[in-house]
Amino acid sequence: MSRNAELFERAKLSIPGGVNSPVRAFGSVGGTPRFVQRAQGAYFWDADDKKFIDYIGSWGPAILGHAHPEVIAAVQAAAANGLSYGAPTEGEIEIAEMIRQLVPSMEQVRLVSSGTEATMTAIRLARGFTGRDKIIKFEGCYHGHSDSLLVKAGSGLLTFGNPSSAGVPADFTRHTLVLDYNNVSQLEQTFAELGDEIACVILEPFAGNMNLIRPSEAFVHALRSLTEKHGAVLIYDEVMTGFRVALGGAQSLHGIKPDLTTLGKVVGGGMPMAVFGGRADIMAKIAPLGGVYQAGTLSGNPLAVAAGVTTLRLISRPGFHEELTRRSETLVKGVQAAANAAGLPFSSDWVGGMFGFYFAPEVPNSYATVTACNNDAFKRFFHAMLDEGIYLAPSAYEAGFVSIAHSDEDIQATITAAERAFARL
Ligand code: KE4
């Protein structure tokens, strides 16, 4: 038995499903999860000491590649001075100033420890600022696991969400409207009927949790104009897209100024840190200034701040995102060409350092079209690539991530592996 399999069996004795986050269990692709023993640059080595080219990178944080020496040194130096104080530090001011400079819509920011915390608080803040209860999210977008966001679309057009998780009382989701991503007319109709009751709209400005799905220009502009017209808060959940699709995030590509933004993943460089922030008049409502409560023992943790400051400094270097995008483009075009040569119904897309592979002839643009992709073909492709030493997301509904450490040789090796994998499908 492989050591991965041994560890998985042992893990399941102590940890539900053997993992500390569900997607890691390989539930949607089958097989045995690879237990990482170490990672460096674009690679990790599993418990059987097999090397993989990693296109998850901790689901986004590892944009510099794993164990970047300057990030490690910064964390080690911070650790030598203590791990956590529960008191303010200069580093928190430094990273807040960096974020404000890189994402100008974020006039004020607050650091938290996870994306879930950031989005949960942003919604509470929007409700506190507007005095309204209803929120809008979109089917297929994931914003972490707070109760009012674990909802799936009800039947019918303007219905409120039903809980998508056991343990969430229906009462907790009755204020959550679940609409279709990229459906402008539905959004317009919802605001026409309920506009003055909507506290906020939260979206992934490029969806990455139903695979990579682009918003249409019309959708992006309708969101901003309708929320503005009706006094609803527009929340860009950039936990995944922040610093990933562009240095200024999706909002810089859209030319949109959201009212609140959440960040995570890259901003902490792999350490537990996320951020919510935005308009100063809205942020003034958060404790201790205002009546919207939020707190966190490890918020602004000095080691996470050290990793985040170093990461943001390194990715702010001129040309970083142009080069990152070039590598994504080379990868996607190469894999697409391999699929075309194999005569397979396959499409693909990329934005900055994020990409999507779809077993469908056309790039999907909604939850309905992405869920119509050939999931079985994806599963076979996933395992064929895993056999070739290429680690893709173990789900057809996740985006992929390139780092600046993925060399041209790594990308060419991935394309060659895809040629062999497609031949086996
Ligand atoms: P966390 O609580 O996992 O730090 O962040 C939640 C979150 C919020 N918003 C967006 C847009 C996100 O993508 C996420 C988390 N992303 C998943 C990737 N699909 C994390 C991986 C996992 O759940 O294990």
Side-chain angles (χ1 to χ4, degrees):
M1 178 189 269
S2 87
R3 192 144 155 61
N4 291 301
E6 277 172 28
L7 289 174
F8 194 35
E9 290 316 305
R10 187 176 136 211
K12 285 190 270 192
L13 299 177
S14 306
I15 305 168
V19 292
N20 285 308
S21 199
V23 69
R24 305 175 189 175
F26 276 26
S28 52
V29 291
T32 302
R34 298 311 190 260
F35 280 68
V36 178
Q37 64 170 319
R38 64 190 172 90
Q40 183 69 46
Y43 319 121
F44 75 78
W45 287 260
D46 73 3
D48 291 328
D49 212 24
K50 177 172 180 180
K51 178 180 175 182
F52 291 88
I53 301 177
D54 180 11
Y55 287 101
I56 295 185
S58 181
W59 301 97
I63 195 168
L64 290 166
H66 291 291
H68 187 288
E70 292 183 58
V71 177
I72 297 299
V75 172
Q76 287 174 329
N81 293 326
L83 303 182
S84 176
Y85 313 122
T89 62
E90 186 175 356
E92 291 161 78
I93 306 169
E94 188 184 358
I95 198 165
E97 290 170 345
M98 290 174 91
I99 292 165
R100 289 180 59 205
Q101 198 259 323
L102 293 172
V103 190
S105 71
M106 299 179 82
E107 296 167 355
Q108 292 270 298
V109 301
R110 167 143 314 158
L111 309 183
V112 293
S113 298
S114 74
T116 295
E117 252 194 289
T119 57
M120 174 178 71
T121 313
I123 285 170
R124 185 182 307 135
L125 187 52
R127 284 171 159 158
F129 177 74
T130 59
R132 302 174 183 175
D133 294 339
K134 291 183 175 58
I135 66 173
I136 291 174
K137 77 171 291 284
F138 297 94
E139 185 92 73
C141 286
Y142 174 68
H143 305 287
H145 59 88
S146 61
D147 284 342
S148 60
L149 288 170
L150 289 178
V151 286
K152 57 183 184 291
S155 56
L157 203 53
L158 302 187
T159 58
F160 289 92
N162 305 314
S164 61
S165 165
V168 176
D171 215 25
F172 283 31
T173 62
R174 66 188 177 86
H175 295 301
T176 306
L177 267 160
V178 185
L179 303 185
D180 297 330
Y181 200 80
N182 275 329
N183 186 331
V184 175
S185 57
Q186 184 192 38
L187 189 67
E188 287 167 340
Q189 189 181 345
T190 303
F191 270 96
E193 297 200 16
L194 299 167
D196 57 359
E197 299 179 50
I198 305 289
C200 65
V201 178
I202 185 167
L203 79 147
E204 291 185 64
F206 288 93
N209 288 285
M210 49 171 155
N211 210 322
L212 168 62
I213 300 290
R214 282 175 184 271
S216 68
E217 190 132 353
F219 186 59
V220 164
H221 290 286
L223 282 161
R224 182 62 286 182
S225 58
L226 287 165
T227 48
E228 208 135 36
K229 179 181 173 189
H230 293 275
V233 174
L234 178 60
I235 303 173
Y236 263 34
D237 176 0
E238 297 224 42
V239 165
M240 187 182 280
T241 55
F243 312 117
R244 165 65 58 181
V245 298
L247 184 57
Q251 56 195 269
S252 69
L253 298 179
H254 291 175
I256 291 287
K257 187 175 181 230
D259 300 307
L260 292 177
T261 297
T262 52
L263 300 169
K265 300 177 191 281
V266 170
V267 76
M271 296 289 283
M273 177 159 65
V275 187
F276 67 93
R279 277 171 39 192
D281 60 330
I282 298 176
M283 292 297 284
K285 300 294 183 188
I286 202 84
L289 293 182
V292 179
Y293 195 68
Q294 178 274 331
T297 303
L298 299 178
S299 296
N301 173 273
L303 277 67
V305 166
V309 164
T310 308
T311 298
L312 293 185
R313 177 171 55 78
L314 291 169
I315 69 171
S316 299
R317 285 174 303 182
F320 179 91
H321 283 84
E322 290 74 9
E323 180 55 28
L324 186 73
T325 304
R326 185 191 69 77
R327 297 185 194 196
S328 295
E329 180 178 7
T330 305
L331 170 73
V332 168
K333 285 183 172 174
V335 171
Q336 184 65 56
N340 294 347
L344 291 166
F346 183 91
S347 52
S348 52
D349 196 3
W350 76 95
V351 187
M354 225 168 127
F355 64 87
F357 293 150
Y358 322 94
F359 280 86
E362 303 292 325
V363 175
N365 66 356
S366 67
Y367 182 71
T369 50
V370 79
T371 50
C373 292
N374 184 336
N375 206 9
D376 287 338
F378 171 78
K379 287 181 196 175
R380 294 196 301 276
F381 179 65
F382 171 83
H383 281 289
M385 292 292 268
L386 202 62
D387 293 345
E388 299 279 350
I390 308 299
Y391 192 70
L392 299 173
S395 162
Y397 306 117
E398 297 285 356
F401 303 95
V402 174
S403 83
I404 204 70
H406 285 78
S407 67
D408 288 338
E409 293 71 28
D410 295 324
I411 289 167
Q412 188 49 54
T414 306
I415 294 165
T416 304
E419 287 161 356
R420 288 201 287 264
F422 286 134
R424 289 168 53 186
L425 288 199

